[in-house]
Amino acid sequence: MPDALKMPEPELIEHAGLDSAVYLRIYLLGLKIFIPILFLTWAILVPVNWTNDWLKLSKATYSDIDKLSISNIPQHSHRFYAHVVMAYAVTFWTCYALKKEYETVTKMRLQFLQSEKRRPDQFTVLVKNVPPDADESVSEAVEHFFLVNHPDHYLTHQVVVNANKLSKLVEEKKSKQNWLVYYQNKYERNQSKRPMMKTGFLGLWGEKVDAIEQHITEIERLSNEIAEEKENVKSNPKAIMPAAFVSFKTRWGAAVCAQTQQARNPTLWLTEWAPEPRDVYWKNLAIPYVSLTVRRLLMAVAFFFLTFFFIIPVAFVQSLANIEGIEKRASFLKPIIEVKPIKAFIQGFLPGIALKIFLILLPTILMIMSKFEGFLSISNLERRSASRYYLFNFFNVFLASVVTGTVLEQLDTFLKQSVNQLPEIIGVAIPQKATFFITYIMVDGWSGTAGEILRLKPLIIYHLKNFFLVKTEKDREEAMDPGSIGFNTGEPQIQLYFLIGLIYAVVTPLLTPFILVFFALAYVVYRHQIINVYNQEYESSAAFWPDVHGRIIGALVISQLLLMGLLSTKEAASSTPFLLALPILTIGFHRYCKGRFEPAFIRYPLQEAMMKDTLERAREPNLNLKGYLESAYIPPVFKEAESDSEDDDDDEIGDKKWAKDNVLVATKRQSRKNTPVPSKMSNGSSPNLLELQEKDKP
Amino acid sequence: MPDALKMPEPELIEHAGLDSAVYLRIYLLGLKIFIPILFLTWAILVPVNWTNDWLKLSKATYSDIDKLSISNIPQHSHRFYAHVVMAYAVTFWTCYALKKEYETVTKMRLQFLQSEKRRPDQFTVLVKNVPPDADESVSEAVEHFFLVNHPDHYLTHQVVVNANKLSKLVEEKKSKQNWLVYYQNKYERNQSKRPMMKTGFLGLWGEKVDAIEQHITEIERLSNEIAEEKENVKSNPKAIMPAAFVSFKTRWGAAVCAQTQQARNPTLWLTEWAPEPRDVYWKNLAIPYVSLTVRRLLMAVAFFFLTFFFIIPVAFVQSLANIEGIEKRASFLKPIIEVKPIKAFIQGFLPGIALKIFLILLPTILMIMSKFEGFLSISNLERRSASRYYLFNFFNVFLASVVTGTVLEQLDTFLKQSVNQLPEIIGVAIPQKATFFITYIMVDGWSGTAGEILRLKPLIIYHLKNFFLVKTEKDREEAMDPGSIGFNTGEPQIQLYFLIGLIYAVVTPLLTPFILVFFALAYVVYRHQIINVYNQEYESSAAFWPDVHGRIIGALVISQLLLMGLLSTKEAASSTPFLLALPILTIGFHRYCKGRFEPAFIRYPLQEAMMKDTLERAREPNLNLKGYLESAYIPPVFKEAESDSEDDDDDEIGDKKWAKDNVLVATKRQSRKNTPVPSKMSNGSSPNLLELQEKDKP
């Protein structure tokens, strides 16, 4: 763990990619924001709150925590000005820290882009909605259009094909090959008996046949189908989508094409930057353009209903999942359940179980919704899921906890109130919920992070998979593969803590240390995890930072509005105009940042493109760009289908050979599927860290 | 007038420009929308409303008009479904007509751009916020940047200089020259006496001097100052603004530069399409970039206060401007005022006079505000003023009339209500105000248009100017110059009628014929005026259409919300969900139009640019583009200052010569300052129309 902290940031970027390094900076940002806030609020507000006797006099039930919070101050008190001043201080400090961070991340991103080795997506643009032409195919149409309109810069193109059916066949074949290996292993262990299997579904019924021969025939059949399908896809015009990856001779040409409108009809010939080849979500390229709007609308409506009405099906399932219900329906389980300890366990466990299962499944549901919407890159999908998850959390974890009860119940009340009473209703409830949130931070935040370092959940899942699903060595490795850091599950969680922290910073300063401990702990743990455990699935060069920034600004504005509501219930009405300026200033600050920094995350300036091109031409004048780019954007199923008889290593070997020829940036971390690696459970550090340590030795 | 209607549209475009032709289409659009609505609503709703006895039974005071309106239907009636269905019909028809119109205008615009002769702004981009460099001047910095980043396309550039002081001197000189001509004329008429003038302010005090000699010396002095200032401006680096007009060899190069981000810092090297040379508002080029945001914020706040609180100073002035007040303050006027007819006139006239004067001055105030905000082209200024004027009208003419009283008084009430009561409050008042709006349309719309054909207001102003200000023939011509059509005063008026028409279409169908008469009358009148009277100041190729479209959509959504409010007071609550879908559909339609059509008004597609370039190269391979573009964007003050001793004709002659060399599009209408033209009052048709009629003869 200490090693994890010692690694300097540039090395971290090289090791794990810019995305991961910037993800860690979110935790650091939390620390940067909240440490001075802690000192300020504790130095000023706690004495102000403590030296009051309001709660004592009001004879209401209270705890010491309440004594430290704003509830302790009587109505009309002038002490509220201290809180107003503190709100200003919190706002200014947060905005200052955000601005500094945005500047730094922008600089890191631009530096990263500048120093990056050559990558196919720097030269490539994704063209969508190519208009159909009776005379020529999509491929010819694309070629002609770009030769005419970008004559000096167009290089080559790769038409997008609908390879979904092909990839299904390839998947099926891989699975059958896996079973074949399993049966072969089983046979080798026990040569006397040939393994048998039933041909029915999941091997539960059907006639008994020789397993190995069955699988070999199946695999042959699938190989033929795959070859046939490949031919079909290449020649059938219906399988060719009106989209293409177009590559240019220079980054400048690609930057120009990506930022300009090509045709008279602005919905045709849409151009945008192509994502990295490994970042492309191939399945969604086959979605026709017209249905995209409809899909987005459907998903927006579905998300609305999910957020506000999810409690209905959950409650329904809950009603089934009580003990009496189970005993009625599955009476054969009755003797087991009646045993006392099991009964007690189930009684404590069941009531919340439907909700818990739903919450566990929620990220997956949101990801499926995002996939349905038709985004084309995995990074985009994750960002979309993350923002939806955050919204869901905001409404159903935060607001629901504060106003007690699900948003469905409260929706009625909200609609009847006038707009400016809304902050009051919520504001009043906030100090009362301070203790609840403290426990929430401790349970969800601290122990969640502790579980992360132990990788408790993956451990459980691994053993489950091992018991039920793993048949071959390959499966075992797949089960152990930790995957990527999962931006769409981790980041909304952090944002919720920002929200809670900012709201309670002025209201109940006692909460701030808990948040700080969480950020510090999570930073250390995740730094270790990123270096030693997780793989990087794609590199988006910190494209998510504008979303992160926007959500923190949102949290800040919400905290200001709620403070206004709270203070108006305390009849410190004269403070309201002062506080009203705060959201306006914050939103103005956000717009400034948007204009000043966000374009670096969306557009590639021509000056940068020209600089990089010039440098590259100076260094490598004889670069064969066409060969490099021609096969960059072929869907992986084609490459896999071609190498079906070879080992999976060939993909990597092919990449390495390509890398030698063309100095392609190789990811430092190889997929664990291919490198023999001792089990993580027994060996604390990974081979890569050992490599790095050896490199560090003089 | 019949001739005016007969002129076919393409000829109208050639004669008066696309802007004017599309402006007329707004009236046509009004007709297209409201004629079917008239038939539908009268066919269905009037019988539905008429055959009720609600008002009779309720014993409230009502008129026949109310019998025809929705007030006649009792609570809970099922007849409201007819109204809901009609609201849907109105929405669908309006959206359909809008879409058709948007398509047509877009096609007209693109066709116009395609067929246009060469213009300097097709090749030029305005670059703002050039970063300061210690080593090189702005001119060198611009040259180097574009040679590096747009190597194949950059042609030349013209740095922007702060010529405000120079233009003031030139103005002063022109005015002195005018006085000189006046005095010379006076002398010629009466050779015996040399004209004398006093040197003080407005000639009211000071020593008497010989006028002609005085003026000659002044003019000499000014000429020297001007020459000095010109040198100063050219050489002094402080006078050079960090902005430049950069011209490219091809339209393609200019289109690329205008649509892409140039530099790493998105606030530097900002590029946008250059406006036409005659459309540039030179004064505002001297505003530094940083202060633009501050200015916009200031003007936004000022506009807010103007809209909501203008009544305070107006009421103050009003309080002074009553008869007693005048008698007190200017007692020397007392004898005049006490005369009965005058007293009666003043008593009828004064009470509203402060408000009337304010409303007359309002467009000028808004234009000054827009100029302060720093827009760079006159077309932009007019669009901005138009949208502000519309907002002002909406709040203070429409809403104020409906809820009786200024918005200031109502603001309090609004804030206290909850959000969903707002449509109800306004909705209830609407049917009651139907008669008021009918009179408004008749007074303001019909007679305003009638006054337009008589050109009453300009006639009055002409005579006033003639009496007080005109000294020379030049002045007389200037006073007669009708100027351009004044988009910023005319269009908001039309939009208000759209709003009233759409709101009352379903509520009180009786109003619709009045609106229709207005649109028809205005169409005929303005067609005539545009052909025969107005000059075109600039050509923006109908760039205002997205604003017009957006405002009509806004009017439609407001009408839907108000209908919802109205129906909920009638306790036809079951209709609310049906009506709720309407605004959502309308906004969805608006977004579709925005995505599908608006880019044609903002961006120039590369395909179009390439087509035009190729055509031009094919036709004129030996074009000297550099000579053409080099002097296109020199501020007019320089050209005027150079030709100070020549006649003003030289500008036009210079243009004509240029036109012969370079096939520059010459405006058909020459400024009347230069062509000897009989007075409009005596001769009905203009020379140009005669020309056109002659052209039409076979």
Side-chain angles (χ1 to χ4, degrees):
Chain A
M1 195 88 76
D3 293 326
L5 286 177
K6 281 194 208 132
M7 184 186 279
E9 195 168 56
E11 207 169 333
L12 181 66
I13 295 178
E14 272 206 47
H15 183 76
L18 186 67
D19 274 351
S20 318
V22 173
Y23 183 75
L24 285 179
R25 288 192 78 96
I26 305 180
Y27 294 108
L28 266 185
L29 179 66
L31 287 174
K32 280 184 211 165
I33 289 181
F34 284 109
I35 289 180
I37 286 180
L38 175 72
F39 287 126
L40 266 178
T41 52
W42 275 65
I44 297 181
L45 285 186
V46 167
V48 167
N49 288 348
W50 184 267
T51 57
N52 269 294
D53 291 328
W54 173 248
L55 279 177
K56 263 194 238 164
L57 295 174
S58 73
K59 298 188 183 48
T61 48
Y62 67 94
S63 66
D64 277 336
I65 293 177
D66 289 330
K67 257 182 113 181
L68 288 176
S69 85
I70 206 173
S71 333
N72 202 8
I73 299 182
Q75 313 282 61
H76 295 294
S77 166
H78 284 298
R79 293 183 180 227
F80 283 126
Y81 281 109
H83 294 81
V84 172
V85 168
M86 281 314 299
Y88 267 85
V90 166
T91 304
F92 284 152
W93 173 249
T94 310
C95 289
Y96 176 74
L98 277 174
K99 177 172 179 288
K100 278 265 162 232
E101 198 65 26
Y102 217 155
E103 263 175 14
T104 316
V105 172
T106 308
K107 213 158 45 147
M108 281 166 73
R109 173 182 164 98
L110 289 170
Q111 231 170 355
F112 183 76
L113 289 174
Q114 197 66 335
S115 66
E116 257 195 324
K117 300 285 191 337
R118 197 177 316 120
R119 275 190 343 194
D121 60 292
Q122 296 167 355
F123 296 88
T124 315
V125 156
L126 173 59
V127 176
K128 290 191 294 191
N129 215 21
V130 174
D133 193 320
D135 304 326
E136 39 185 30
S137 70
V138 171
S139 181
E140 288 166 1
V142 167
E143 183 116 12
H144 291 160
F145 183 87
F146 281 95
L147 277 174
V148 166
N149 291 305
H150 294 265
D152 309 320
H153 304 286
Y154 167 73
L155 182 63
T156 177
H157 74 281
Q158 175 73 36
V159 177
V160 168
V161 293
N162 183 351
N164 290 353
K165 188 168 171 210
L166 180 64
S167 58
K168 265 197 219 149
L169 289 174
V170 168
E171 282 294 313
E172 217 184 320
K173 182 173 140 186
K174 276 209 271 189
S175 144
K176 295 256 180 241
Q177 272 179 321
N178 205 26
W179 278 104
L180 178 64
V181 170
Y182 167 67
Y183 280 120
Q184 280 174 337
N185 289 347
K186 202 169 167 191
Y187 183 58
E188 280 164 31
R189 273 181 259 137
N190 187 358
Q191 294 267 2
S192 59
K193 174 172 127 177
R194 281 189 77 81
M196 309 296 282
M197 65 174 272
K198 299 186 186 137
T199 51
F201 181 63
L202 286 185
L204 288 176
W205 59 81
E207 43 174 291
K208 277 194 177 236
V209 289
D210 185 66
I212 293 176
E213 282 178 27
Q214 171 78 5
H215 278 291
I216 292 177
T217 18
E218 285 280 318
I219 289 171
E220 265 183 51
R221 177 181 65 84
L222 281 170
S223 303
N224 291 339
E225 275 189 28
I226 284 174
E228 205 182 292
E229 182 65 17
K230 263 175 41 181
E231 283 315 307
N232 189 24
V233 156
K234 281 185 190 158
S235 53
N236 179 6
K238 284 219 185 96
I240 295 180
M241 305 307 299
F245 290 96
V246 178
S247 301
F248 293 84
K249 289 180 193 151
T250 56
R251 290 173 187 77
W252 191 93
V256 160
C257 186
Q259 295 180 47
T260 53
Q261 180 184 339
Q262 304 305 313
R264 180 181 270 223
N265 179 344
T267 57
L268 298 177
W269 295 106
L270 295 169
T271 53
E272 60 187 55
W273 276 112
E276 281 192 297
R278 60 180 173 162
D279 193 13
V280 177
Y281 186 65
W282 296 99
K283 285 212 186 80
N284 274 357
L285 281 169
I287 297 177
Y289 177 73
V290 183
S291 72
L292 279 181
T293 326
V294 177
R295 285 169 175 250
R296 294 228 172 131
L297 189 67
L298 278 177
M299 283 299 106
V301 172
F303 182 65
F304 174 77
F305 281 104
L306 184 74
T307 310
F308 288 96
F309 299 104
F310 80 99
I311 200 66
I312 300 177
V314 169
F316 175 70
V317 172
Q318 194 60 41
S319 64
L320 299 177
N322 53 25
I323 293 201
E324 293 74 22
I326 292 184
E327 287 185 353
K328 267 188 250 168
R329 284 173 183 71
S331 43
F332 61 90
L333 288 175
K334 195 168 177 179
I336 309 175
I337 295 176
E338 283 300 321
V339 176
K340 266 213 177 258
I342 296 182
K343 183 164 187 174
F345 173 71
I346 294 181
Q347 265 178 336
F349 194 50
L350 265 188
I353 197 172
L355 187 62
K356 285 186 183 67
I357 293 178
F358 175 77
L359 287 176
I360 291 175
L361 288 178
L362 184 64
T364 323
I365 296 176
L366 292 175
M367 182 58 99
I368 293 174
M369 283 168 69
S370 302
K371 285 182 183 172
F372 185 76
E373 279 187 325
F375 290 102
L376 292 166
S377 64
I378 302 178
S379 50
N380 230 338
L381 285 172
E382 289 207 344
R383 286 199 294 274
R384 184 73 161 187
S385 306
S387 63
R388 289 232 156 114
Y389 194 25
Y390 175 68
L391 275 181
F392 185 90
N393 269 343
F394 174 72
F395 280 112
N396 285 311
V397 173
F398 178 72
L399 277 190
S401 315
V402 167
V403 295
T404 323
T406 65
V407 188
L408 178 58
E409 292 159 26
Q410 298 305 321
L411 205 60
D412 224 29
T413 327
F414 285 162
L415 282 182
K416 294 210 168 57
Q417 306 297 330
S418 73
V419 170
N420 54 353
Q421 274 192 332
L422 217 63
E424 285 177 20
I425 299 172
I426 307 179
V428 153
I430 285 193
Q432 304 162 1
K433 296 291 173 179
T435 30
F436 166 79
F437 279 116
I438 292 179
T439 36
Y440 178 81
I441 294 172
M442 287 198 291
V443 168
D444 194 66
W446 296 5
S447 34
T449 316
E452 174 65 33
I453 185 67
L454 297 175
R455 292 187 48 71
L456 219 63
K457 190 166 110 177
L459 180 63
I460 295 176
I461 294 180
Y462 170 72
H463 280 297
L464 284 174
K465 277 191 182 173
N466 204 9
F467 189 66
F468 290 114
L469 294 176
V470 163
K471 305 172 288 299
T472 65
E473 193 57 36
K474 181 164 100 81
D475 281 343
R476 189 186 304 277
E477 287 184 1
E478 244 182 55
M480 267 182 9
D481 180 24
S484 73
I485 196 160
F487 177 78
N488 57 326
T489 45
E491 195 260 355
Q493 188 75 345
I494 311 173
Q495 290 291 352
L496 198 62
Y497 290 122
F498 268 106
L499 179 69
I500 296 174
L502 284 171
I503 290 180
Y504 279 96
V506 181
V507 172
T508 309
L510 194 71
L511 216 80
T512 323
F514 293 90
I515 305 251
L516 270 181
V517 170
F518 164 75
F519 276 122
L521 199 64
Y523 176 69
V524 171
V525 165
Y526 277 97
R527 197 165 221 265
H528 175 263
Q529 299 293 81
I530 280 175
I531 295 174
N532 296 334
V533 173
Y534 287 114
N535 295 331
Q536 192 184 21
E537 197 175 342
Y538 58 82
E539 176 63 66
S540 69
S541 312
F544 55 80
W545 192 261
D547 293 346
V548 171
H549 177 93
R551 288 199 265 273
I552 299 180
I553 294 271
L556 192 59
V557 171
I558 290 172
S559 77
Q560 291 157 354
L561 292 175
L562 292 181
L563 186 65
M564 270 206 297
L566 182 57
L567 284 186
S568 53
T569 59
K570 295 267 182 189
E571 285 172 48
S574 53
S575 63
T576 312
F578 293 109
L579 282 177
L580 194 62
L582 273 181
I584 297 174
L585 286 175
T586 312
I587 292 174
F589 168 75
H590 176 64
R591 289 173 66 99
Y592 163 74
C593 282
K594 214 170 143 84
R596 173 66 184 82
F597 299 115
E598 194 176 309
F601 291 82
I602 304 175
R603 288 194 283 264
Y604 196 38
L606 292 186
Q607 195 183 26
E608 301 279 315
M610 187 58 87
M611 283 200 308
K612 220 164 141 82
D613 282 333
T614 321
L615 274 176
E616 196 175 67
R617 265 199 298 268
R619 278 195 220 133
E620 294 168 64
N622 301 321
L623 184 59
N624 174 19
L625 211 52
K626 187 157 185 178
Y628 173 68
L629 290 170
E630 253 180 339
S631 54
Y633 278 94
I634 297 176
V637 287
F638 281 97
K639 296 186 207 155
E640 283 177 19
E642 280 163 14
S643 65
D644 56 0
S645 53
E646 306 157 31
D647 204 6
D648 282 3
D649 275 331
D650 265 13
D651 257 346
E652 293 290 320
I653 291 176
D655 274 344
K656 287 194 189 110
K657 174 178 172 310
W658 193 13
K660 262 186 285 175
D661 285 346
N662 293 301
V663 196
L664 176 66
V665 62
T667 53
K668 277 241 163 75
R669 186 181 308 285
Q670 306 301 326
S671 163
R672 292 213 189 301
K673 298 183 204 168
N674 304 319
T675 43
V677 139
S679 159
K680 290 226 64 46
M681 301 302 134
S682 53
N683 187 353
S685 50
S686 79
N688 286 337
L689 191 55
L690 288 173
E691 279 174 29
L692 282 165
Q693 285 169 342
E694 284 177 298
K695 271 167 69 177
D696 278 348
K697 290 180 189 143
Chain B
M1 195 89 72
D3 291 327
L5 286 176
K6 282 197 209 134
M7 185 188 277
E9 197 169 55
E11 207 168 337
L12 180 67
I13 294 177
E14 273 207 49
H15 183 77
L18 186 67
D19 274 352
S20 318
V22 173
Y23 184 74
L24 286 178
R25 288 193 76 96
I26 304 180
Y27 294 108
L28 267 184
L29 179 64
L31 288 173
K32 280 185 213 167
I33 289 181
F34 284 110
I35 290 181
I37 286 181
L38 175 73
F39 286 125
L40 266 179
T41 52
W42 275 67
I44 298 184
L45 284 186
V46 167
V48 168
N49 288 347
W50 185 266
T51 58
N52 269 294
D53 291 326
W54 173 250
L55 280 177
K56 261 196 238 162
L57 295 173
S58 74
K59 295 188 186 49
T61 45
Y62 66 95
S63 67
D64 277 335
I65 293 179
D66 289 330
K67 258 184 110 179
L68 287 176
S69 87
I70 206 174
S71 330
N72 203 8
I73 301 185
Q75 314 281 63
H76 295 293
S77 166
H78 283 296
R79 293 182 178 228
F80 283 125
Y81 281 107
H83 293 80
V84 172
V85 168
M86 280 315 301
Y88 267 86
V90 165
T91 303
F92 284 150
W93 173 250
T94 310
C95 288
Y96 175 74
L98 278 174
K99 178 173 180 286
K100 279 267 161 219
E101 198 64 26
Y102 217 154
E103 263 175 15
T104 315
V105 173
T106 307
K107 215 161 43 156
M108 282 166 70
R109 173 182 165 97
L110 288 171
Q111 230 169 354
F112 183 75
L113 289 174
Q114 197 66 335
S115 66
E116 257 193 324
K117 300 284 188 343
R118 195 176 316 118
R119 278 194 334 200
D121 60 292
Q122 295 167 353
F123 295 88
T124 313
V125 157
L126 173 59
V127 176
K128 290 191 292 191
N129 216 21
V130 174
D133 193 320
D135 303 329
E136 38 186 27
S137 72
V138 170
S139 182
E140 289 167 2
V142 166
E143 183 115 13
H144 291 162
F145 184 86
F146 282 95
L147 278 174
V148 166
N149 290 306
H150 296 265
D152 309 320
H153 304 286
Y154 167 75
L155 183 63
T156 178
H157 73 282
Q158 175 73 34
V159 177
V160 168
V161 292
N162 183 352
N164 289 353
K165 189 170 169 207
L166 181 63
S167 60
K168 266 198 218 148
L169 291 173
V170 168
E171 281 296 312
E172 218 184 319
K173 185 175 138 181
K174 277 211 268 188
S175 141
K176 296 260 180 234
Q177 273 178 321
N178 207 27
W179 278 105
L180 179 64
V181 170
Y182 166 66
Y183 280 118
Q184 279 173 336
N185 289 348
K186 201 168 165 191
Y187 184 57
E188 279 162 33
R189 272 181 259 138
N190 186 359
Q191 294 267 358
S192 56
K193 172 171 132 185
R194 280 191 78 81
M196 307 297 278
M197 64 173 273
K198 301 190 183 130
T199 51
F201 181 63
L202 287 182
L204 288 174
W205 59 82
E207 43 174 292
K208 277 194 176 238
V209 291
D210 183 66
I212 294 180
E213 281 179 27
Q214 170 78 3
H215 278 290
I216 292 179
T217 19
E218 284 279 319
I219 288 172
E220 265 185 53
R221 175 180 67 84
L222 281 171
S223 301
N224 291 338
E225 276 191 26
I226 285 175
E228 205 181 293
E229 181 66 18
K230 264 175 44 182
E231 284 315 308
N232 190 23
V233 156
K234 282 187 189 153
S235 54
N236 179 6
K238 283 218 184 94
I240 296 182
M241 305 306 299
F245 290 98
V246 179
S247 302
F248 293 84
K249 290 182 193 149
T250 55
R251 290 173 186 79
W252 191 91
V256 161
C257 188
Q259 296 180 45
T260 52
Q261 179 183 338
Q262 304 303 312
R264 182 182 269 226
N265 180 344
T267 57
L268 298 178
W269 295 106
L270 294 168
T271 53
E272 59 187 55
W273 276 110
E276 281 191 297
R278 60 180 173 159
D279 192 14
V280 177
Y281 187 66
W282 296 98
K283 286 211 184 85
N284 273 356
L285 280 169
I287 298 177
Y289 176 73
V290 182
S291 72
L292 279 181
T293 325
V294 177
R295 287 168 173 250
R296 295 227 174 135
L297 190 67
L298 278 177
M299 282 301 106
V301 172
F303 181 66
F304 174 76
F305 282 104
L306 183 76
T307 313
F308 287 97
F309 299 104
F310 81 98
I311 199 64
I312 299 176
V314 169
F316 176 71
V317 173
Q318 194 60 43
S319 65
L320 299 176
N322 52 26
I323 293 199
E324 294 74 23
I326 293 182
E327 288 184 351
K328 266 187 250 168
R329 284 172 181 76
S331 44
F332 61 92
L333 288 173
K334 195 165 177 179
I336 309 175
I337 296 176
E338 283 300 321
V339 175
K340 264 208 176 250
I342 297 184
K343 183 165 189 176
F345 173 68
I346 294 181
Q347 265 179 335
F349 194 48
L350 264 190
I353 196 170
L355 188 61
K356 285 188 182 67
I357 292 179
F358 176 77
L359 285 176
I360 292 174
L361 288 181
L362 183 65
T364 322
I365 296 176
L366 290 175
M367 182 58 98
I368 293 175
M369 284 169 70
S370 301
K371 285 182 181 170
F372 184 76
E373 279 187 326
F375 290 102
L376 292 167
S377 62
I378 302 177
S379 50
N380 230 337
L381 285 173
E382 289 207 344
R383 287 200 293 275
R384 184 72 159 190
S385 305
S387 62
R388 288 233 158 111
Y389 194 25
Y390 175 68
L391 275 181
F392 185 91
N393 269 344
F394 174 70
F395 281 112
N396 285 311
V397 173
F398 178 71
L399 277 191
S401 315
V402 166
V403 294
T404 323
T406 66
V407 189
L408 178 58
E409 294 158 23
Q410 298 306 320
L411 204 60
D412 224 29
T413 328
F414 284 163
L415 281 183
K416 292 207 166 61
Q417 305 296 331
S418 74
V419 169
N420 53 352
Q421 276 191 331
L422 220 62
E424 285 177 19
I425 300 172
I426 306 179
V428 153
I430 285 191
Q432 302 161 1
K433 295 293 174 181
T435 30
F436 167 78
F437 279 115
I438 292 179
T439 36
Y440 179 80
I441 294 170
M442 288 196 291
V443 169
D444 193 69
W446 296 4
S447 35
T449 316
E452 176 62 36
I453 185 67
L454 296 175
R455 289 185 51 72
L456 219 66
K457 189 167 112 177
L459 180 64
I460 295 176
I461 293 180
Y462 170 73
H463 280 297
L464 283 174
K465 277 191 183 175
N466 205 11
F467 191 64
F468 290 115
L469 294 177
V470 163
K471 302 170 289 302
T472 64
E473 194 57 36
K474 182 163 102 77
D475 281 346
R476 187 187 306 277
E477 287 185 0
E478 245 181 55
M480 268 185 3
D481 179 25
S484 73
I485 196 161
F487 177 77
N488 58 326
T489 45
E491 195 260 353
Q493 189 74 346
I494 311 173
Q495 291 290 352
L496 199 62
Y497 290 121
F498 268 106
L499 179 68
I500 297 174
L502 284 171
I503 289 179
Y504 280 98
V506 180
V507 173
T508 309
L510 195 71
L511 217 79
T512 323
F514 292 90
I515 306 253
L516 270 179
V517 169
F518 165 74
F519 276 121
L521 199 64
Y523 176 68
V524 171
V525 165
Y526 276 98
R527 200 165 219 259
H528 175 261
Q529 299 295 80
I530 280 175
I531 294 172
N532 297 335
V533 174
Y534 288 115
N535 293 331
Q536 191 184 19
E537 199 176 343
Y538 58 83
E539 176 63 64
S540 68
S541 311
F544 55 81
W545 191 261
D547 292 347
V548 171
H549 176 93
R551 288 199 267 270
I552 299 181
I553 295 272
L556 191 60
V557 171
I558 290 172
S559 76
Q560 291 158 354
L561 291 175
L562 292 180
L563 184 66
M564 269 207 297
L566 182 57
L567 284 186
S568 53
T569 58
K570 295 270 183 185
E571 286 172 44
S574 55
S575 63
T576 312
F578 293 109
L579 283 177
L580 195 63
L582 274 180
I584 297 175
L585 286 174
T586 313
I587 292 174
F589 168 77
H590 175 63
R591 288 172 67 101
Y592 162 75
C593 282
K594 213 170 145 80
R596 174 67 184 81
F597 299 116
E598 195 175 307
F601 291 83
I602 303 176
R603 288 195 282 266
Y604 196 36
L606 292 187
Q607 195 183 24
E608 300 282 314
M610 188 55 87
M611 282 198 314
K612 221 166 138 88
D613 282 333
T614 322
L615 274 175
E616 193 175 69
R617 265 199 298 267
R619 281 197 215 130
E620 295 168 64
N622 301 321
L623 184 59
N624 175 19
L625 210 53
K626 188 158 184 176
Y628 174 67
L629 290 170
E630 251 179 342
S631 53
Y633 278 92
I634 296 175
V637 288
F638 282 96
K639 296 188 207 154
E640 282 175 20
E642 279 164 14
S643 66
D644 55 1
S645 55
E646 306 158 29
D647 202 7
D648 280 2
D649 275 332
D650 265 16
D651 259 344
E652 294 287 323
I653 291 175
D655 275 344
K656 287 197 190 110
K657 176 179 172 308
W658 195 9
K660 262 187 286 176
D661 286 349
N662 294 298
V663 197
L664 176 67
V665 60
T667 53
K668 280 243 163 74
R669 185 180 309 286
Q670 306 301 325
S671 161
R672 291 210 189 301
K673 298 184 203 167
N674 305 319
T675 43
V677 139
S679 160
K680 288 230 61 48
M681 300 302 134
S682 55
N683 187 354
S685 48
S686 78
N688 286 338
L689 190 55
L690 287 172
E691 279 175 28
L692 281 166
Q693 284 170 342
E694 286 179 293
K695 270 166 71 179
D696 277 350
K697 292 180 188 140

